[in-house]
Each structure stands twice: as structure tokens, then as C-alpha cells.
């Protein structure tokens, strides 16, 4: 059974992609939750979905784009959506969280229209929605590697600035931190991560992998660095166990991964509750 993961190319692509996803999703998710922007992933996921639908429609209508992976259209739409969210946050300064449902609604509406024009769903679109192991290609893996390198490099180089902007944006501004540029770049990173992860987790479930491991980590971590460490650990366990059971029982990989993440969170909450009772 385990030997299959090294024997078949698509399983190796899935395994390596899953490890990368388990690393970068909770890493960015930790900063998102601290910023009170946990719903950001939901908003951008719907925009990404409309981009994939646009890519499928264009490749169907125009022969020149038939060889282009719809994932890249999803990335483009996600980046544009992230820029619009950042712009709307400036417009609605007193209600910054309003930007997310606005973009979410626009993305969902655009997706619905594009699907109707493209004459409905197909099996490939289903894999983007909920994740499917057999659909991960070498192109998807390369795209994810590129995104992971950029995300890890950014966090390594400007960790202190990201930390300052996430916890106290006004203090960061007074301290001379380029908060606008950092906020904008951070939004772009989140958008690219969502788009690159959709083949395995599914665009409708990716927000769960970004937030659930962090939610579990917050229950036991005593510092911000510990929160990042435990959230990555929980995410990796969720991804690897989820992929294993998805392959074993032929389940949707995204849903299985999310259920593993939910199970881990419940176990962490149960252990914490048990400790309180035993004191």
C-alpha cells in the first residue's frame, strides 16, 4: 500500500504537494487569524474558482488556450481579487471586514455565470472544488513549489515586519514599517497559496486547512512562534493522514484532509479540557 506512493508519478506529485501545502497554509493562516482576517481565504477561494471556470471556458472556446492549465487563470483572478480586497479595506476604513463578503459575492456570482456559459460542470471542475488525488500534475507541483519558495522566503526575510503589522498596524506605521506594501504583498501571497493548493484540498475547503490547524495550535501554544510550529505540525498530520485515507477509500482528498484537521482540533480541545478537570 505505502509502496504505491513511490511507484506512481501522480501519487508522488500529490505527496510532495501535500507536504508543501501543510507547510505554507498554516504559516500564512497564523498571520491571517492574528489580523482578524480568517475569512479572507473564503473570499479569495471563490474568486479563484471563478478564475478556474474562466480558464476552462476560454480553453474550450479558443484553441490557443487549450493547453493552458486553468490553475494559472485561478492564480491571476486570486491576485486581482486580493488587490481589490486591500483597496476596499481602505475605502471602508471603519468596516474593513466588509471587503471580504463583497469580493466573495462577486467571485461566486462570476463563477455561476461562467459555468452557465460553459454548459455546466465537468469532472475536472469537481476536482478543483473538492480536491482529487489523481488530478495532481507535474505542472501543479511546480506551481506549488514556486509559491512555497516565495512564501517561505518572504516570511524569513521580513518576519519582524510581518509580526509588527499583524499585531499593531498603527505602531508599525509609526516605527517606519512599510505597512501598505507589506499588506499588499501578504494578500498576494495568500491568493497564490489558495490557488496553488486547490488541486489537493479543493478551493471550497482550502480555508479550513488555513484556519483549523491554527485554531488547534492556539489552544496549547504559549508564543507566536509556538503557534506557527504547532499549526504546521497539525496541518502536516492532517494532510498526510487525509491523503492516505483518501487514496485507501477513494474519497475526495480535500474533505478527508479537513476531517482530519477537525479531528485533531477536537482531540486538542479534549485534552485541554481534561487537564482542567484533573487540576
Amino acid at each position: 500500500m505505502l509502496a504505491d506512493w513511490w511507484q506512481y508519478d501522480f501519487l508522488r506529485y500529490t505527496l510532495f504537494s501535500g507536504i508543501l501545502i501543510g507547510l505554507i497554509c498554516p504559516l500564512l493562516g497564523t498571520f491571517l487569524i492574528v489580523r482578524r482576517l480568517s475569512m479572507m481565504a473564503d473570499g479569495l477561494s471563490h474568486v479563484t474558482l471563478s478564475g478556474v471556470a474562466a480558464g476552462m471556458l476560454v480553453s474550450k472556446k479558443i484553441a490557443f488556450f487549450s493547453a493552458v492549465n486553468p490553475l494559472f487563470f485561478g492564480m491571476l483572478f486570486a491576485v486581482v481579487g486580493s488587490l481589490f480586497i486591500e483597496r476596499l479595506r481602505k475605502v471602508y476604513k471603519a468596516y474593513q471586514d466588509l471587503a471580504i463578503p463583497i469580493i466573495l459575492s462577486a467571485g461566486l456570482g462570476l463563477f455561476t455565470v461562467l459555468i452557465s456559459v460553459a454548459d455546466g460542470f465537468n469532472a475536472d471542475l469537481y476536482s478543483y472544488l473538492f480536491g482529487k488525488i489523481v488530478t495532481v500534475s507535474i505542472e501543479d507541483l511546480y506551481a506549488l513549489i514556486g509559491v512555497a519558495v516565495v512564501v517561505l522566503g518572504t516570511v524569513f526575510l521580513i518576519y519582524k515586519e510581518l509580526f509588527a503589522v499583524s499585531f499593531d498596524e498603527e505602531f508599525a506605521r509609526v516605527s517606519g514599517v512599510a505597512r501598505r506594501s507589506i499588506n499588499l504583498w501578504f494578500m498576494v501571497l495568500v491568493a497564490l497559496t489558495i490557488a496553488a493548493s486547490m488541486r489537493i484540498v479543493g478551493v471550497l475547503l482550502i480555508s479550513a486547512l488555513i484556519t483549523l490547524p491554527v485554531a488547534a495550535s492556539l489552544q496549547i501554544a504559549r508564543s507566536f512562534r509556538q503557534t506557527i510550529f504547532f499549526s504546521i505540525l497539525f496541518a502536516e498530520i492532517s494532510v498526510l493522514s487525509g491523503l492516505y485515507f483518501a487514496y485507501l477509500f477513494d474519497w475526495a482528498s480535500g474533505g478527508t484532509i479537513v476531517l482530519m484537521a477537525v479531528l485533531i482540533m477536537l482531540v486538542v480541545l479534549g485534552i485541554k479540557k481534561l487537564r482542567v478537570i484533573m487540576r
Side-chain angles (χ1 to χ4, degrees):
M1 175 64 190
L2 293 177
D4 292 347
W5 290 89
W6 302 107
Q7 182 178 356
Y8 300 106
D9 288 340
F10 74 91
L11 286 179
R12 288 201 301 273
Y13 301 156
T14 300
L15 179 62
F16 296 145
S17 298
I19 292 172
L20 291 174
I21 290 171
L23 178 62
I24 62 176
C25 282
L27 177 60
L28 294 178
T30 305
F31 288 100
L32 277 177
I33 288 179
V34 167
R35 290 168 173 236
R36 307 294 195 273
L37 292 174
S38 57
M39 293 299 294
M40 175 72 69
D42 282 306
L44 289 178
S45 65
H46 286 75
V47 176
T48 305
L49 189 59
S50 64
V52 170
M56 290 181 173
L57 177 61
V58 170
S59 63
K60 184 178 179 181
K61 301 294 184 181
I62 304 176
F64 177 78
F65 292 101
S66 60
V68 179
N69 192 333
L71 172 67
F72 298 116
F73 285 90
M75 285 185 170
L76 177 62
F77 274 56
V79 169
V80 173
S82 68
L83 299 179
F84 269 108
I85 287 178
E86 188 61 20
R87 178 59 183 170
L88 288 172
R89 289 181 67 209
K90 295 177 183 178
V91 173
Y92 297 98
K93 292 183 178 180
Y95 309 96
Q96 292 189 10
D97 57 340
L98 186 59
I100 298 174
I102 290 175
I103 293 298
L104 187 152
S105 301
L108 188 58
L110 182 58
F111 167 71
T112 305
V113 171
L114 290 173
I115 284 298
S116 65
V117 174
D119 299 325
F121 287 84
N122 57 46
D124 200 35
L125 182 59
Y126 180 89
S127 70
Y128 281 108
L129 287 170
F130 306 109
K132 195 171 181 63
I133 290 177
V134 297
T135 59
V136 179
S137 66
I138 188 64
E139 288 183 348
D140 298 326
L141 176 58
Y142 285 154
L144 189 54
I145 290 174
V147 172
V149 169
V150 174
V151 170
L152 294 175
T154 298
V155 174
F156 177 78
L157 292 174
I158 60 170
Y159 173 81
K160 292 182 179 179
E161 289 81 357
L162 273 174
F163 181 88
V165 172
S166 297
F167 277 91
D168 194 335
E169 193 167 336
E170 190 60 29
F171 174 77
R173 183 187 66 81
V174 174
S175 301
V177 176
R179 60 186 181 89
R180 290 185 177 179
S181 299
I182 289 177
N183 280 333
L184 192 61
W185 182 238
F186 180 78
M187 296 296 185
V188 171
L189 291 182
V190 174
L192 291 175
T193 298
I194 291 172
S197 305
M198 61 195 307
R199 275 295 204 184
I200 291 182
V201 186
V203 71
L204 296 183
L205 299 169
I206 186 63
S207 62
L209 186 61
I210 290 177
T211 57
L212 288 178
V214 183
S217 178
L218 287 171
Q219 296 298 313
I220 58 176
R222 297 183 178 180
S223 67
F224 187 71
R225 290 181 183 270
Q226 277 193 9
T227 302
I228 293 177
F229 172 78
F230 283 118
S231 62
I232 292 175
L233 176 63
F234 293 152
E236 293 289 3
I237 294 173
S238 301
V239 169
L240 295 178
S241 61
L243 290 176
Y244 176 79
F245 287 116
Y247 178 67
L248 182 63
F249 298 109
D250 194 25
W251 293 343
S253 57
T256 311
I257 290 171
V258 170
L259 287 178
M260 292 298 105
V262 171
L263 180 61
I264 289 174
M265 187 180 68
L266 292 176
V267 169
V268 171
L269 290 173
I271 293 175
K272 184 177 181 181
K273 185 69 174 180
L274 186 61
R275 286 181 176 178
V276 173
I277 295 175
M278 293 178 64
R279 287 179 180 176

